[in-house]
Amino acid sequence: MKEFMLFNPTSLDEAVELLGTDSSRAQLLAGGMDLLGRLKKRIDSPERVINLKSIPGLADIRDSQEGLSVGALVKLTELAEDSAVNAKYRALAQAAESVGSVQIRNAGTMGGNLCQKPRCWYYRHADFLCLQKGGTICYAQGGENRYHAILGGGPCFFAHPSDLAPAFIALDAQARIVGPKGQRSVAVEDLYRLPIIQLNGGLALEPGEILAEVRVPAPKANSRSTYLKFKEKPSFDFSLAGVAASVVMEGGKVSAARLALSGVSPVPWRPLDAEKILTGSPLNDATARQVADAIVEESVPLLHNRYKIPLTRTIVRRALLSLA
Ligand SMILES: Cc1cc2nc3c(=O)[nH]c(=O)nc-3n(C[C@H](O)[C@H](O)[C@H](O)COP(=O)(O)OP(=O)(O)OC[C@H]3O[C@@H](n4cnc5c(N)ncnc54)[C@H](O)[C@@H]3O)c2cc1C
Ligand code: SF4
């Protein structure tokens, strides 16, 4: 690990100033579950590390009639165990519970989970200067790509690692961001951009911006949500294929639906055509099959990850039927 200066700001404005806009010189630290690994392997070697944990007021979960507010420093364990989150925002509690191991959930934060960098093994190896690190090649495309994307890939094919992101997207959440130009609010979905549009580890934050909070609107009457994922190691692992689903039911049919997939695309994947099929349909096995088939219809597997197609189909069906 290269030496760096550690800063402990006491406000977001101070953190923004210390961070600057050159990510090669300064990086934010939350729980460190992602950043410290990258520093140790010299994937990143910033001069300054800005510790967000010294800033008060970023670690609260607040539930009200308007909805839920989750501060960037809320730990994944807290999110998974919060009674209001479990009662009203089930997909979010399940997504938090599904992350890594107990140790990772006890240290990892909501903000760090949404802003973590690709888990592609070429990206995480200092000797591979791939597209995402300013090189000219995607080593995964013709290499070891069994964990990579089947949807929305190209020219980079990593599978987006966050479990919380699809849950927030299915729940129509908004992120509050502060940065050098002030404060803005953006749909969580728009925090991510496909690599064909932008190569920035999948994240669409502007240079120098910090995620402060995510707000989830209060659930509508007769709504339900869930998050399910397949993982290779049952004890702790990233998603091979997962889905967050949120539906509103009316007269035995789905009147509104939002879906977002994990583990299959460089962004949390929103299958808009499949949502249209779901909306207006009864929530039964025939609908679940139709929706799952529509999602994988667009998939373009690489040499070693074709298995993700049946996996995705199955997890989508299971998730939808669990909401029936
Ligand atoms: C063995 C292992 C298994 C894992 N399994 C899973 C899994 O199953 N599912 C899953 O989703 N994740 C998994 N992870 C990833 C882990 O959950 C995330 O890395 C963790 O949640 C990140 O949170 P953190 O607070 O530790 O982030 P940090 O490591 O502190 O930060 C992560 C990145 O986000 C940036 N950042 C942090 N906070 C902010 C902010 N507020 N605004 C802007 N940028 C910010 C940092 O600069 C850094 O680049 C796993 C990690 C490991 C090591
Ligand atoms: S998939 Fe993306 S992160 Fe992985 S080697 Fe290719 S360009 Fe790099």
Side-chain angles (χ1 to χ4, degrees), residues 118 120 122-123 130-132 137-141 148 155-158:
C120 169
Y122 297 105
Y123 180 88
C130 73
L131 283 176
Q132 283 286 4
I137 284 187
C138 170
Y139 292 95
Q141 186 171 9
H148 288 71
C156 156
F157 294 86
F158 80 95

Side-chain angles (χ1 to χ4, degrees), residues 27-35 38 52 72 76 98-100 104 108-109 111-113 115-116 119 161-163 205 210-211 229 236-238:
Q27 290 272 335
L28 297 170
L29 171 71
M33 292 293 96
D34 174 30
L35 183 71
R38 281 161 35 217
L52 291 173
L76 298 169
S98 81
V99 173
I104 287 162
T109 64
N113 188 270
C115 298
Q116 60 180 301
R119 276 282 155 185
S162 168
D163 286 309
L205 286 179
I210 302 175
L211 174 70
K229 83 183 202 195
F236 72 95
D237 219 339
F238 292 92

Side-chain angles (χ1 to χ4, degrees), residues 56-245:
L58 291 180
D60 297 327
I61 300 177
R62 281 190 293 262
D63 184 43
S64 71
Q65 280 186 338
E66 283 76 49
L68 183 76
S69 154
V70 185
L73 290 179
V74 167
K75 303 267 175 55
L76 298 169
T77 299
E78 292 161 353
L79 209 45
E81 291 178 356
D82 186 88
S83 56
V85 177
N86 272 282
K88 291 158 75 177
Y89 308 93
R90 187 86 190 109
L92 188 56
Q94 287 174 312
E97 174 69 35
S98 81
V99 173
S101 60
V102 177
Q103 290 88 338
I104 287 162
R105 295 195 293 275
N106 283 346
T109 64
M110 181 279 280
N113 188 270
L114 292 192
C115 298
Q116 60 180 301
K117 296 283 184 178
R119 276 282 155 185
C120 169
W121 34 37
Y122 297 105
Y123 180 88
R124 298 270 162 174
H125 198 298
D127 292 347
F128 290 96
L129 188 63
C130 73
L131 283 176
Q132 283 286 4
K133 294 190 284 188
T136 54
I137 284 187
C138 170
Y139 292 95
Q141 186 171 9
E144 265 300 349
N145 50 39
R146 76 188 101 133
Y147 298 130
H148 288 71
I150 56 168
L151 287 160
C156 156
F157 294 86
F158 80 95
H160 192 269
S162 168
D163 286 309
L164 291 193
F168 276 131
I169 292 169
L171 296 170
D172 202 10
Q174 296 276 319
R176 183 167 66 84
I177 291 161
V178 294
K181 294 181 192 155
Q183 184 166 294
R184 68 186 174 107
S185 180
V186 63
V188 170
E189 188 174 354
D190 295 331
L191 284 179
Y192 306 100
R193 265 183 218 136
L194 284 171
I196 189 87
I197 300 167
Q198 183 187 335
L199 285 167
N200 184 25
L203 206 56
L205 286 179
E206 297 294 329
E209 285 191 324
I210 302 175
L211 174 70
E213 175 195 11
V214 172
R215 293 178 184 151
V216 189
K220 298 201 171 82
N222 302 320
S223 66
R224 304 155 202 177
S225 70
T226 191
Y227 177 72
L228 295 183
K229 83 183 202 195
F230 277 122
K231 45 190 173 181
E232 196 169 40
K233 282 193 287 292
S235 52
F236 72 95
D237 219 339
F238 292 92
S239 171
L240 292 175
V243 65

Side-chain angles (χ1 to χ4, degrees), residues 294-311:
I295 290 174
V296 296
E297 204 173 77
E298 291 175 59
S299 62
V300 183
L302 299 163
L303 190 59
H304 304 294
N305 67 2
R306 186 170 286 277
Y307 73 96
K308 285 198 178 192
I309 295 177
L311 226 52

